[in-house]
Amino acid sequence: MNMEKIEQAFGLVTANIEAIQEKLDTDFYDAFVEQNAQFLDEENLTGNNRELHKLSLTKNEWQKLFQFVLLKGSQVAPLQPNHAFTPDSIAVIFQFMIECLTEKPLIRLLEFGSGTGNLAEILLTNLSKKVDYVGFEVDDLLLDLAASMAEIIGTAPVFMQADAVQARLVAPVDVVVSDLPIGFYPDDVLAKNFAVVNPEGHTFAHHLLIEQAFKYLKADGFAIFLAPDDLLTSSQAPLLKNWLKQEARVSAVITLPEKLFKHDAKAIYVLSKGKSEQPTFVYPLTSLSDREILQEFMSEFKENCVL
């Protein structure tokens, strides 16, 4: 990966985004989508986009470039917490877990809340296996942004505008991933169709999504979620745990450094459909930047986490 080219490309892209913002009087993300559209219009390239084409970035370089652009966007035009992109360090752990837990050369992967597509692109450009990817996202701007970046990078994800709590016709998948949106789900009528429903008020949306995920998983499938670290101890946890006893197994819980998150602390949960006598693998990951700590975690995970 050529960081000098990425730095040069970053300057070209952000300059174009700022120019589009001023010309169209629009926000950062709308201008980002428009910039991607202009770059893809090869018959009418001008200025910076002509220079950007000449750089001939690889898939991985494009993915890293767009991550930097999204980071700049988060600084000048912060998204609401449930729309913020999944940090690269956590996405890499998701990638490692998928590699470790499945030996299939081709997997079907479903993401709930695909957002800007950052997690999708990290997985699609870095996994050693072929991935048939589908992402559910409600927000149309984020869908346009994710699709435009994917077209430039050259991956082939399928993004669908959908409320992931609502059932969709999708072929069974090997893996579900999600940086789960946190909060209460407003539709109590729909929530009544779920075993985790709260009978005395709104149900946690992340509980509904966890249950819904298992309706798409194959018999030997598994799910990886970034969720609140009190997922199994919160006020509605007994409802979730009753469902877990019947339908799923908590294969791993990886706690994360609190300083990673502006709001509540989170953890990574691996849930599986398959039954096993293996105890839950619980690991306090104290740093996502210390190579030695990460290597120790990966070694322990490979040895102890069995679906």
Side-chain angles (χ1 to χ4, degrees), residues 41-54:
D41 185 7
E42 296 189 27
E43 295 182 359
N44 298 291
L45 292 176
T46 59
N48 286 352
N49 277 329
R50 189 179 293 115
E51 295 302 311
L52 194 56
H53 265 274
K54 290 179 182 178

Side-chain angles (χ1 to χ4, degrees), residues 33-297:
V33 173
E34 178 60 26
Q35 154 58 21
N36 289 343
Q38 291 182 13
F39 176 82
L40 289 165
D41 185 7
E42 296 189 27
E43 295 182 359
N44 298 291
L45 292 176
T46 59
N48 286 352
N49 277 329
R50 189 179 293 115
E51 295 302 311
L52 194 56
H53 265 274
K54 290 179 182 178
L55 290 175
S56 300
L57 299 181
T58 65
K59 287 185 177 182
N60 290 94
E61 288 167 347
W62 273 116
Q63 185 274 317
K64 182 60 68 175
L65 164 63
F66 284 146
Q67 191 175 70
F68 288 147
V69 177
L70 288 170
L71 182 59
K72 179 178 177 64
S74 71
Q75 295 168 345
V76 301
L79 294 166
Q80 62 158 291
N82 281 338
H83 286 169
F85 71 91
T86 305
D88 178 66
S89 55
I90 292 175
V92 169
I93 293 176
F94 274 44
Q95 174 199 337
F96 158 73
M97 288 178 166
I98 293 170
E99 296 277 21
C100 185
L101 295 173
T102 178
E103 297 179 350
K104 298 177 181 178
L106 168 64
I107 60 170
R108 283 184 51 78
L109 187 149
L110 174 63
E111 181 181 4
F112 286 173
S114 53
T116 62
N118 187 60
L119 175 56
E121 294 305 334
I122 289 175
L123 296 178
L124 288 167
T125 56
N126 291 285
L127 280 169
S128 63
K129 53 191 87 265
K130 186 176 180 181
V131 180
D132 183 3
Y133 171 99
V134 177
F136 289 170
E137 174 55 52
V138 173
D139 189 279
D140 54 357
L141 173 59
L142 297 182
L143 282 167
D144 289 343
L145 181 56
S148 67
M149 290 191 293
E151 187 171 357
I152 292 174
I153 294 171
T155 51
V158 174
F159 294 110
M160 298 174 59
Q161 187 164 25
D163 175 354
V165 173
Q166 298 180 15
R168 302 287 170 176
L169 187 61
V170 176
V173 300
D174 300 288
V175 185
V176 175
V177 298
S178 183
D179 181 346
L180 288 170
I182 308 305
F184 294 103
Y185 191 70
D187 189 340
D188 293 337
V189 175
L190 180 58
K192 287 180 181 179
N193 297 318
F194 291 77
V196 298
V197 64
N198 179 18
E200 300 178 354
H202 291 328
T203 305
F204 285 154
H206 44 293
H207 287 192
L208 297 171
L209 289 169
I210 290 171
E211 181 177 338
Q212 186 68 282
F214 273 68
K215 297 175 184 177
Y216 297 109
L217 281 174
K218 296 178 181 178
D220 60 347
F222 62 92
I224 304 175
F225 298 117
L226 181 65
D229 71 345
D230 67 349
L231 182 70
L232 301 176
T233 58
S234 70
S235 60
Q236 293 189 27
L239 300 166
L240 178 64
K241 289 195 284 189
N242 285 339
W243 173 81
L244 284 168
K245 290 177 184 178
Q246 302 299 319
E247 302 293 339
R249 173 176 172 266
V250 182
S251 297
V253 179
I254 314 301
T255 59
L256 301 168
E258 291 187 17
K259 63 182 180 181
L260 284 176
F261 307 100
K262 292 182 179 179
H263 304 285
D264 296 332
K266 296 184 179 182
I268 297 173
Y269 299 83
V270 181
L271 307 182
S272 56
K273 265 196 170 182
K275 300 298 180 181
S276 172
E277 298 301 319
Q278 188 83 359
T280 300
F281 174 69
V282 179
Y283 195 95
L285 188 52
T286 56
S287 173
L288 275 68
S289 58
D290 187 304
R291 184 180 296 273
E292 186 174 335
I293 290 175
L294 283 172
Q295 288 178 339
E296 182 178 350
F297 156 69

